């Protein structure tokens, strides 16, 4: 659907002109857009590069002056230059994501701008994908599918395309918030031998599954399957660093559904190339999109997905609605349903 630059309906509250929300794309779920359009004029950010796939920071700077709110997602960098360009009427950023490392929190606090996000909504969706990556990577689904389609499947062979089972293995989850806990619950059903996890404090729900709270160093050395499911911030960047990758078991499979920069990707590439670990399943990477000539693209022992952890129709609709509700709450002077406290 091609939208015009503004969506206009009758003014509310006897205002001669309504406040405006800047949308960073024109294809957010319709239900959320319809909700916002009852109270705001909506403008879609113009792209300076007509062949571009997404808006740039400069595009946002060019379009945001005078706006009340920005409706964005995790690939959009909201920095001080954006906030400065927005002007005094700018009050809220609504990001359709659970992570908010793309937002400069210091600058947000400086300019008095509130931040809404969408935690909880995508917990089950991302956890499902994480389990799918564990299975697909360990059982070599994509490799086997490629062999089938390219003529590599000649006859049955007892050692061909053998992967690794999850039962009787040690599973480690780095970051046991809502998503990590859901992953732990799902993988514990596979009759694993041990469940390890990292967190700032002990998680009763995970402990009840037989989970044991350990350090990151102990987890990476001990686990057959390592799932990274934490938020990215200054403290967690490269939490899976070169030394920790070097300490992993030769049969280890590393899965990441958090953010690309949680892992030292160069060190991971080397470990995969040298077959020092069995494989990796990545829904997030650095940069995104990953260049087609990147070494990860050519490896048989890595499974890549294009950051689709939250990509179900139901989840995207719910995330968009929550983002709209966060923005509307600021307009009405009410607490947001989900606000990042700055």
């Amino acid at each position: 659907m091609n939208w015009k630059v503004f969506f206009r309906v009758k003014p509310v509250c006897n205002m001669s002109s309504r406040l405006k929300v800047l949308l960073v794309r024109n294809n957010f779920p319709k239900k959320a857009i319809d909700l916002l359009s009852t109270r705001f004029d909506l403008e879609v950010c113009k792209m300076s590069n007509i062949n571009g796939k997404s808006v740039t920071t400069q595009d946002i700077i060019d379009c945001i002056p005078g706006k009340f709110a920005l409706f964005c997602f995790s690939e959009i960098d909201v920095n001080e230059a954006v906030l400065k360009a927005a002007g005094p009427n700018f009050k809220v950023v609504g990001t359709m994501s659970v992570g908010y490392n793309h937002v400069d929190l210091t600058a947000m606090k400086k300019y008095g701008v509130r931040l809404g996000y969408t935690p909880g909504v995508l917990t089950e969706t991302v956890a499902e994908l994480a389990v799918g990556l564990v299975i697909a990577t360990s059982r070599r689904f994509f490799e086997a599918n490629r062999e089938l389609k390219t003529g590599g499947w000649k006859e049955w062979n007892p050692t061909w395309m053998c992967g690794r089972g999850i039962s009787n293995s040690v599973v480690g989850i780095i970051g046991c918030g809502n998503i990590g806990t859901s992953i732990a619950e799902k993988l514990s059903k596979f009759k694993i031998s041990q469940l390890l996890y990292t967190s700032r404090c002990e998680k009763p729900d995970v402990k009840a599954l037989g989970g044991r709270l350990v350090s990151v160093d102990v987890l990476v050395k001990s686990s057959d399957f390592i799932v990274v499911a934490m938020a990215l911030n200054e403290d967690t960047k490269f939490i899976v660093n070169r030394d920790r990758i070097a300490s992993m078991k030769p049969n280890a499979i590393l899965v990441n559904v958090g953010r690309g920069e949680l892992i030292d990707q160069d060190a991971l590439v080397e470990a995969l190339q040298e077959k020092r670990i069995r494989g990796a399943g990545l829904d997030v990477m650095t940069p995104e999109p990953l260049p087609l000539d990147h070494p990860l693209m050519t490896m048989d022992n890595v499974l890549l997905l294009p950051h689709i952890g939250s990509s179900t129709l139901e989840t995207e609709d719910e995330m968009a609605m929550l983002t709209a509700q966060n923005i509307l709450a600021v307009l009405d002077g009410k607490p947001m349903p989900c606000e990042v406290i700055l």
Side-chain angles (χ1 to χ4, degrees), residues 2 22 33 63 98 114-115 135 140 148 162 170 172 187 243 255 257 262 275-276 285 289 298 305 309 332 335:
N2 293 323
L22 182 65
I33 296 307
C63 294
V98 63
R114 295 168 67 183
L115 175 61
I135 297 170
R140 304 171 68 180
L148 182 150
C162 285
V170 179
L187 289 177
D243 289 342
V255 167
V257 293
L262 293 168
K275 305 294 176 68
R276 287 189 278 110
M285 54 219 70
T298 63
L305 296 178
D332 294 332

Side-chain angles (χ1 to χ4, degrees), residues 19 24 96 113 131 172 206 233 243 265 290 305:
L19 296 172
V24 297
M96 194 172 140
V113 179
V131 174
V206 183
N233 55 46
D243 289 342
Q265 192 164 277
L290 196 68
L305 296 178

Side-chain angles (χ1 to χ4, degrees), residues 99-158:
Y100 45 86
N101 57 289
H102 56 294
V103 180
D104 185 334
L105 301 184
T106 301
M108 291 281 286
K109 187 172 183 178
K110 173 181 175 181
Y111 285 87
V113 179
R114 295 168 67 183
L115 175 61
Y117 70 136
T118 59
V121 176
L122 46 62
T123 296
E124 291 305 304
T125 307
V126 176
E128 290 169 1
L129 182 124
V131 174
L133 275 174
V134 168
I135 297 170
T137 306
S138 63
R139 294 299 303 274
R140 304 171 68 180
F141 282 1
F142 279 43
E143 289 180 73
N145 180 261
R146 184 169 58 250
E147 289 296 302
L148 182 150
K149 290 183 175 181
T150 58
W153 184 22
K154 303 296 185 184
E155 60 181 0
W156 182 81
N157 184 316

Side-chain angles (χ1 to χ4, degrees), residues 15-254:
M15 295 173 63
S16 59
S17 62
R18 299 197 301 169
L19 296 172
K20 299 178 176 67
V21 175
L22 182 65
L23 310 174
V24 297
R25 58 170 48 174
N26 66 358
N27 59 351
F28 286 113
K30 184 178 184 298
K31 187 177 179 181
I33 296 307
D34 288 346
L35 177 62
L36 281 176
S37 67
T38 64
R39 307 286 300 279
F40 293 102
D41 286 338
L42 307 182
E43 179 180 339
V44 179
C45 188
K46 297 176 182 178
M47 289 191 292
S48 55
N49 179 3
I50 60 174
N51 296 318
K53 294 183 179 179
S54 61
V55 300
T56 65
T57 300
Q58 187 59 51
D59 292 334
I60 296 174
I61 290 172
D62 292 341
C63 294
I64 206 167
K67 303 301 185 296
F68 176 83
L70 175 67
F71 191 123
C72 67
F73 52 96
S74 59
E75 294 181 9
I76 302 300
D77 185 20
V78 182
N79 57 26
E80 183 164 4
V82 169
L83 300 175
K84 184 177 181 181
N89 292 330
F90 190 64
K91 301 300 181 185
V92 55
V93 172
T95 181
M96 194 172 140
S97 62
V98 63
Y100 45 86
N101 57 289
H102 56 294
V103 180
D104 185 334
L105 301 184
T106 301
M108 291 281 286
K109 187 172 183 178
K110 173 181 175 181
Y111 285 87
V113 179
R114 295 168 67 183
L115 175 61
Y117 70 136
T118 59
V121 176
L122 46 62
T123 296
E124 291 305 304
T125 307
V126 176
E128 290 169 1
L129 182 124
V131 174
L133 275 174
V134 168
I135 297 170
T137 306
S138 63
R139 294 299 303 274
R140 304 171 68 180
F141 282 1
F142 279 43
E143 289 180 73
N145 180 261
R146 184 169 58 250
E147 289 296 302
L148 182 150
K149 290 183 175 181
T150 58
W153 184 22
K154 303 296 185 184
E155 60 181 0
W156 182 81
N157 184 316
T159 61
W160 187 61
M161 281 295 149
C162 285
R164 178 181 176 83
I166 302 172
S167 63
N168 298 315
S169 67
V170 179
V171 171
I173 300 173
I174 299 178
C176 233
N178 291 336
I179 293 172
T181 298
S182 182
I183 295 168
E185 291 171 349
K186 291 170 173 54
L187 289 177
S188 68
K189 305 298 184 182
F190 284 81
K191 298 181 180 178
I192 60 177
S193 66
Q194 196 173 6
L195 174 63
L196 308 177
Y197 71 98
T198 71
S199 181
R200 287 190 292 268
C201 59
E202 192 168 67
K203 300 288 184 176
D205 289 346
V206 183
K207 183 178 181 181
L209 299 170
R212 183 162 64 94
L213 178 64
V214 297
S215 68
V216 178
D217 288 330
V218 169
L219 187 147
V220 296
K221 290 177 181 177
S222 307
S223 300
D224 302 304
F225 296 95
I226 302 163
V227 183
V228 184
M230 68 192 331
L232 175 65
N233 55 46
E234 296 267 338
D235 296 327
T236 61
K237 184 176 180 180
F238 286 2
I239 192 164
V240 183
N241 57 29
R242 182 175 293 275
D243 289 342
R244 286 172 173 156
I245 291 172
S247 72
M248 291 178 185
K249 293 180 177 181
N251 69 334
I253 287 177
L254 177 63

